[in-house]
Amino acid sequence: MDAFAELTAELTAELTARKKQYHYYRDQLLRFKGDEVEWKALGEIGDVKMCKRILKSETQSEGDVPFYKIGTFGKQADAFISEEIYESYKSRYSFPKTGDVLISAAGTIGRAVVYDGKPAYFQDSNIVWLDNDESIVSNRYLWHCYKIVNWFVSGGGTIDRLYNDNIKKTKIPVPYPNNPEKSLTEQARIVAKLEELLSDLDAGVAELKAAQKKLAQYRQSLLKAAVEGALTAAWRTQHQPTETGAQLLQRILQERRARWEARQLAKFAEQGKTPPKDWQKKYPEPVQPDTTDLPELPQGWVWATIDQIAQVGTGVTPLRSKSAYFNEGTIPWVTSGALNSEAVASATELVTELALKECRLELYPVGSLLVAMYGEGKTRGKCSELRIPATINQAIAAIVLEPAAQSCKAYLKAFLLDSYEKMRAQASGGVQPNLNLQIVKAIALPLPPCSEQAEITQLLDGQFDQISQQQIAV
């Protein structure tokens, strides 16, 4: 980690120097003598445009075309619209051309992103663009001007959003305004120099990203060492567990069965029935691990399945057409896109008590581990932990540990994070293979003694803290 710290410090210092150089030359290049420039209002160059409004009911957590809201503008979309809506609205309403410069009108005011022409849709009023006359100002020159512009505010002060009038009255420097050909040539010269500097910046960012990738690889190697026993090999030689992994599993299974029997007896009592003969034989035995091709484990460890140490469930998507399921909802409803973060502390959608009741949605407790069974791109196989009570959709498996296995949660999460690629490989199906509850339940887990799990968690936490600090630096 010391080598990583030195590397990231050097790269960060170099990138900072390159940023200062870019800002210096940008300010110099966009500073003109009085008769060489005219500060033109953007309203003289073009008109402000925006996409057609997309209703919440028209979006979904997975789909064909990414829909960018102000919170995901310039990042990764967490909502999608159908290709049918996209093609219809794109042809009938305002839509940016490839190369147009999109502007954030809320949130981080004036953030600029060049539209690359790929299928995407943008939130109306919050993300806009200037349909500018490129015979006066080129898009690339406009993009650089947005980096230095002071957005117009009537009467001064600050704003929390840009209105069309603010944008239209904002001025940018246009060189040689009375000679369009010379003006565009000068704009091209300025852009070329700035792009050259940006290229240097991009190279610096690429080096930092390479360092970040190495940190991610190191993190993954730690997880692998943790669940294979290598991380605690030396620790094991000096510590004898009071309870082995096999004994821990046996205790969990005994308590699992006792809880099932207690629930069954409570049902019989509630119904006023005497328990029938051999009723205990109806106990649903958990899936056993198939150890045929599994490696030998460290001393004191045992193979188990997730089904043996936890209850595994899923959720549903309430009918979108029934507004009573979503309007004024108060209960978080999590979709697989949220699992790209290792903790889920909020939900983009809420459902109602009626949805909870009529759709038989389970409300999963804080601490439940979630696994994405399917989803867009790299989502399938992702693992996260609930930090709030929440319901989920059918694309997620929820893992709720048995009470006797609660101490295993941190270790199980580390195991699931390490198993990302393996879980993706276990998926079944056609063009887009998926996981299912049966696959998740049957996942074989190397289970160490509780004391060793605690040591693993402590070692990982210490290393992960250092990695996080380096990633912040990057």
Side-chain angles (χ1 to χ4, degrees):
M1 287 306 298
D2 290 341
F4 275 123
E6 288 180 19
L7 174 63
T8 52
E10 288 175 11
L11 291 175
T12 303
E14 176 64 22
L15 187 61
T16 300
R18 292 183 190 184
K19 284 181 178 179
K20 286 182 178 178
Q21 183 185 42
Y22 167 75
H23 291 151
Y24 171 79
Y25 279 107
R26 183 193 63 193
D27 293 346
Q28 292 297 312
L29 287 166
L30 294 175
R31 188 176 296 165
F32 303 92
K33 295 178 182 178
D35 58 347
E36 294 178 350
V37 68
E38 179 183 349
W39 286 82
K40 280 185 176 291
L42 292 176
E44 298 177 57
I45 299 168
D47 194 20
V48 179
K49 300 287 186 178
M50 67 184 71
C51 288
K52 166 74 174 173
R53 174 162 294 182
I54 294 291
L55 301 176
K56 189 174 183 179
S57 58
E58 295 175 310
T59 66
Q60 49 207 13
S61 57
E62 292 109 17
D64 305 317
V65 179
F67 173 58
Y68 292 96
K69 298 169 285 187
I70 196 61
T72 56
F73 180 51
K75 304 174 187 175
Q76 184 176 348
D78 61 6
F80 299 81
I81 60 172
S82 68
E83 191 170 350
E84 181 182 1
I85 290 175
Y86 169 70
E87 292 295 346
S88 173
Y89 285 10
K90 178 184 175 183
S91 62
R92 293 162 55 201
Y93 305 103
S94 298
F95 191 79
K97 304 183 298 296
T98 300
D100 278 345
V101 186
L102 302 166
I103 315 164
S104 58
T108 304
I109 299 296
R111 190 191 321 143
V113 173
V114 177
Y115 176 53
D116 59 9
K118 294 178 182 178
Y121 215 71
F122 304 93
Q123 189 176 38
D124 68 296
S125 76
N126 283 339
I127 302 170
V128 301
W129 68 93
L130 191 72
D131 188 16
N132 59 296
D133 183 350
E134 284 208 271
S135 68
I136 302 175
V137 172
S138 72
N139 276 326
R140 288 305 299 176
Y141 179 77
L142 186 63
W143 182 83
H144 285 287
C145 285
Y146 284 159
K147 299 293 183 181
I148 64 165
V149 77
N150 292 315
W151 295 102
F152 174 85
V153 185
S154 178
T158 59
I159 51 174
D160 55 10
R161 71 170 297 110
L162 281 175
Y163 295 98
N164 288 2
D165 191 55
N166 299 125
I167 296 170
K168 288 179 179 180
K169 291 182 178 178
T170 296
K171 295 183 178 183
I172 64 167
V174 178
Y176 308 111
N178 298 321
N179 188 335
E181 185 177 349
K182 187 175 181 180
S183 178
L184 291 173
T185 300
E186 179 64 9
Q187 290 177 42
R189 184 190 72 81
I190 292 170
V191 167
K193 180 60 180 176
L194 292 177
E195 298 288 332
E196 180 186 340
L197 293 168
L198 278 178
S199 179
D200 287 343
L201 267 179
D202 289 342
V205 170
E207 290 175 18
L208 280 172
K209 284 185 176 179
Q212 196 169 42
K213 185 177 180 180
K214 288 181 180 179
L215 285 170
Q217 290 170 343
Y218 176 60
R219 185 179 190 275
Q220 204 60 36
S221 69
L222 281 172
L223 288 169
K224 186 174 186 294
V227 301
E228 290 181 353
L231 189 64
T232 44
W235 181 90
R236 269 195 310 279
T237 63
Q238 308 199 8
H239 297 82
Q240 188 68 28
T242 56
E243 179 186 58
T244 66
Q247 291 168 332
L248 168 63
L249 178 60
Q250 186 60 32
R251 176 164 60 84
I252 293 169
L253 290 173
Q254 287 174 348
E255 292 191 23
R256 184 183 193 276
R257 179 167 191 133
R259 290 179 71 242
W260 177 84
E261 291 182 355
R263 288 195 301 270
Q264 296 304 111
L265 288 172
K267 284 182 183 178
F268 293 139
E270 186 180 344
Q271 296 166 359
K273 295 180 180 179
T274 301
K277 183 181 179 182
D278 296 331
W279 65 273
Q280 293 99 327
K281 291 182 180 180
K282 292 185 178 180
Y283 172 65
E285 292 285 351
V287 179
Q288 301 292 311
D290 179 1
T291 60
T292 307
D293 298 316
L294 294 178
E296 185 178 346
L297 291 174
Q299 186 176 359
W301 292 39
V302 69
W303 285 107
T305 64
I306 289 179
D307 197 32
Q308 288 179 309
I309 65 171
Q311 297 296 315
V312 183
T314 187
V316 298
T317 298
L319 278 175
R320 294 280 184 184
S321 58
K322 192 159 184 177
S323 59
Y325 287 163
F326 289 94
N327 286 355
E328 299 182 4
T330 58
I331 303 165
W333 181 67
V334 176
T335 58
S336 59
L339 274 58
N340 287 305
S341 171
E342 290 181 15
V344 177
S346 63
T348 56
E349 293 190 81
L350 304 172
V351 295
T352 61
E353 291 282 353
L354 183 67
L356 200 69
K357 179 180 178 182
E358 293 189 356
C359 302
R360 297 183 180 179
L361 277 168
E362 183 81 20
L363 187 64
Y364 291 102
V366 172
S368 300
L369 298 178
L370 306 180
V371 172
M373 295 190 288
Y374 53 93
E376 289 293 313
K378 297 182 178 180
T379 301
R380 185 181 75 252
K382 290 281 189 178
C383 170
S384 189
E385 181 179 346
L386 269 182
R387 297 284 170 82
I388 52 169
T391 59
I392 58 177
N393 73 353
Q394 66 279 5
I396 299 174
I399 300 170
V400 182
L401 286 160
E402 295 288 343
Q406 282 297 319
S407 62
C408 302
K409 185 178 71 177
Y411 172 77
L412 176 57
K413 185 177 180 180
F415 168 77
L416 291 170
L417 291 172
D418 174 65
S419 302
Y420 171 69
E421 293 295 347
K422 293 177 187 174
M423 285 194 285
R424 289 177 67 80
Q426 284 182 285
S428 61
V431 178
Q432 187 177 8
N434 299 323
L435 294 167
N436 56 48
L437 289 184
Q438 286 67 40
I439 292 173
V440 175
K441 288 179 178 181
I443 290 173
L445 163 77
L447 190 67
C450 280
S451 56
E452 191 164 351
Q453 288 184 44
E455 178 66 13
I456 288 170
T457 301
Q458 184 176 345
L459 290 172
L460 286 178
D461 285 347
Q463 289 294 303
F464 287 174
D465 283 346
Q466 290 186 54
I467 290 172
S468 296
Q469 290 171 14
Q470 293 307 313
Q471 286 176 328
I472 291 170
V474 171

